[in-house]
Amino acid sequence: MASSASPSAGPSFTLLRVLYVGAALATYTLSADTAGACKTDNDCQLNGVCQTSSATCKCDPGWQGADCGQLKLIPVPETAFFKQAGLSTWGGSILYDSESKLWHMWHSEIAGNCTLSQWRTTSQIRHATAPTPVGPWSPQEVVVTPEAHNPQVVRLKDGTLILFDSYGGYNTHWVHCNGSHDSGIMESRHDIMLSPGAVEPPPCNDPGPGNLTIHVLPAPGGRSVTSAVAGAAAWERRSVPINYPCRSCNLTPSPVFVNGTLYVLLHCDSDSKHKVCDLVMVKASDPIHGPYEAVSERVWDSSEAPGHPEDPGMWVDVRGNWHVLLHNGPHGLHLWSGDGGATFHTTDKEPYPFTVNVTIAGSAPITLARRERPVMVLDEKGLPSVLVTSAGTDSHDHVFTMTQMIDTS
């Protein structure tokens, strides 16, 4: 089933950061407390099966806990922290190229000695490579200049790559921060110099017909990612028609293929029908040219979960169940569906899928200041393999991208 969620040919591993919703509007409900005995597989969060003879959950590889709600994360090597001097990175979209035997990441980079606080004016998208999914990561070319944020890359059957992001390189005259890389007040301008001709952050996308900016890297069938990537100039910037279901000031797109159709999840801001962090879905049978049409008015109501959950990443397990990870303050939030996305369930109790507490290989554990934007990567067997998150260790908005292996033994 996992292979049907991504039609990519060639790689042993594929990027999965997805949310699929069928024709019916998906609804999200809180499950009952399952601290006691399980009765159905839903009491195991569909990360395992309920053994009715003993009323206990038998967890799938990669999961643990009484209700199988906690990832079995392996201690992180130092190479898994993708840090660059004077630069912050924020989240990544990764895939594996079996020909070159390299992992490829497309990530947000907060350029110009800026911190995450200036993400709406200085974020660009850079490509990086590594011999393993936990690094060490080597920065390569810039793919999209500011303003560009929250990249997600999907690969078509012929090897073509499509990159989605929140803004599509809207501002070519971007801001520079001071050289100390030590300031960080949201929307502050006292520590920033505007470049000549610079403009304010990109405008919001209002509901209704409009255009979505994507970047396409054409590649004949069978060509590897490494040989296909030739710098930003090789990516074609396209404007495709879209019918936005809601107002959005930060699209945060999350694409996935289902039966030949590309579904893209989008983030909402407040309008007459939506609240901040509501999620909507569009789809296109021709993802390169569009149009992208709305699937439904809302696929996630942010008031239906406690806290402030956002930035979903979804995958399909080997039994055909659908799962979503979000970050919710200092921990992750897991949603699951056994009916193709028609009904999702969630619980917000310990043990969580992941938290800000991280065990470092050969060193003392650390507590991150933040850990967000979860992306699940599956191996060729369809099992959870790598968790990609954005992270920070201090209060100054110095952030980085982090990859962590999952124990499926």
Side-chain angles (χ1 to χ4, degrees):
M1 180 68 182
S3 61
S4 66
S6 176
S8 306
S12 299
F13 294 79
T14 56
L15 165 74
L16 287 174
R17 186 187 192 277
V18 304
L19 180 60
Y20 166 75
V21 177
L25 175 66
T27 59
Y28 297 71
T29 58
L30 293 177
S31 68
D33 190 346
T34 57
C38 67
K39 296 180 179 179
T40 71
D41 292 350
N42 274 310
D43 296 327
C44 308
Q45 301 194 27
L46 296 185
N47 288 324
V49 295
C50 180
Q51 298 177 304
T52 55
S53 59
S54 60
T56 57
C57 292
K58 181 180 181 181
C59 299
D60 295 336
W63 296 93
Q64 60 186 346
D67 63 351
C68 304
Q70 183 182 26
L71 284 167
K72 295 177 67 176
L73 296 170
I74 296 174
V76 180
E78 291 289 344
T79 57
F81 297 97
F82 184 26
K83 299 180 179 180
Q84 300 181 71
L87 292 172
S88 287
T89 67
W90 188 243
S93 172
I94 72 173
L95 58 82
Y96 180 72
D97 176 37
S98 58
E99 183 177 326
S100 63
K101 295 181 173 55
L102 287 174
W103 286 84
H104 295 259
M105 176 191 291
W106 288 267
H107 62 277
S108 298
E109 176 183 88
I110 315 302
N113 293 310
C114 296
T115 63
L116 185 63
S117 294
Q118 287 79 40
W119 69 270
R120 290 200 68 198
T121 49
T122 64
S123 181
Q124 62 186 9
I125 297 171
R126 186 180 290 276
H127 171 225
T129 58
T132 76
V134 288
W137 293 96
S138 300
Q140 305 297 328
E141 75 285 349
V142 172
V143 175
V144 187
T145 57
E147 170 59 24
H149 199 62
N150 298 329
Q152 287 295 299
V153 175
V154 293
R155 178 163 42 187
L156 306 186
K157 289 182 177 180
D158 67 353
T160 296
L161 302 180
I162 303 178
L163 185 151
F164 295 84
D165 78 284
S166 289
Y167 299 113
Y170 167 84
N171 184 7
T172 57
H173 301 283
W174 49 290
V175 302
H176 296 262
C177 300
N178 61 32
S180 67
H181 194 63
D182 200 26
S183 56
I185 301 176
M186 182 61 75
E187 301 302 328
S188 172
R189 292 294 182 269
H190 74 275
D191 59 350
I192 300 176
M193 298 182 299
L194 287 177
S195 300
V199 298
E200 287 301 302
C204 297
N205 300 99
D206 291 321
N211 291 297
L212 175 70
T213 298
I214 62 174
H215 290 80
V216 177
L217 184 64
R223 189 163 71 172
S224 71
V225 174
T226 301
S227 62
V229 173
W235 290 79
E236 299 176 0
R237 189 170 188 263
R238 290 175 175 264
S239 182
V240 296
I242 185 174
N243 187 13
Y244 289 103
C246 70
R247 177 178 175 83
S248 180
C249 302
N250 181 16
L251 293 175
T252 316
S254 179
V256 60
F257 278 100
V258 179
N259 298 326
T261 297
L262 184 66
Y263 291 80
V264 184
L265 183 70
L266 302 174
H267 169 274
C268 292
D269 286 276
S270 297
D271 60 28
S272 61
K273 298 181 179 180
H274 302 88
K275 301 175 299 301
V276 174
C277 292
D278 281 358
L279 300 177
V280 297
M281 182 75 70
V282 295
K283 65 178 181 179
S285 57
D286 183 351
I288 294 179
H289 302 97
Y292 286 78
E293 297 292 344
V295 174
S296 60
E297 185 177 291
R298 181 186 291 106
V299 298
W300 166 255
D301 187 327
S302 59
S303 67
E304 294 180 5
H308 190 72
E310 58 181 355
D311 296 339
M314 186 175 168
W315 69 100
V316 181
D317 68 25
V318 293
R319 292 192 303 275
N321 300 314
W322 297 85
H323 303 266
V324 179
L325 281 180
L326 307 96
H327 69 83
N328 192 22
H331 58 78
L333 181 70
H334 176 234
L335 313 178
W336 64 93
S337 171
D339 55 9
T343 305
F344 276 82
H345 304 274
T346 187
T347 182
D348 192 43
K349 66 181 184 64
E350 297 185 70
Y352 300 112
F354 64 90
T355 69
V356 293
N357 299 314
V358 178
T359 301
I360 308 298
S363 184
I366 62 172
T367 298
L368 300 168
R370 61 199 305 173
R371 191 177 189 186
E372 304 177 12
R373 296 193 57 74
V375 176
M376 180 69 79
V377 181
L378 306 183
D379 65 16
E380 69 265 16
K381 297 180 181 178
L383 300 176
S385 175
V386 186
L387 178 66
V388 185
T389 51
S390 308
T393 56
D394 59 38
S395 60
H396 298 286
D397 268 354
H398 299 176
V399 295
F400 52 90
T401 300
M402 169 182 164
T403 52
Q404 188 168 13
M405 298 295 294
I406 299 169
D407 183 2
T408 56
S409 61

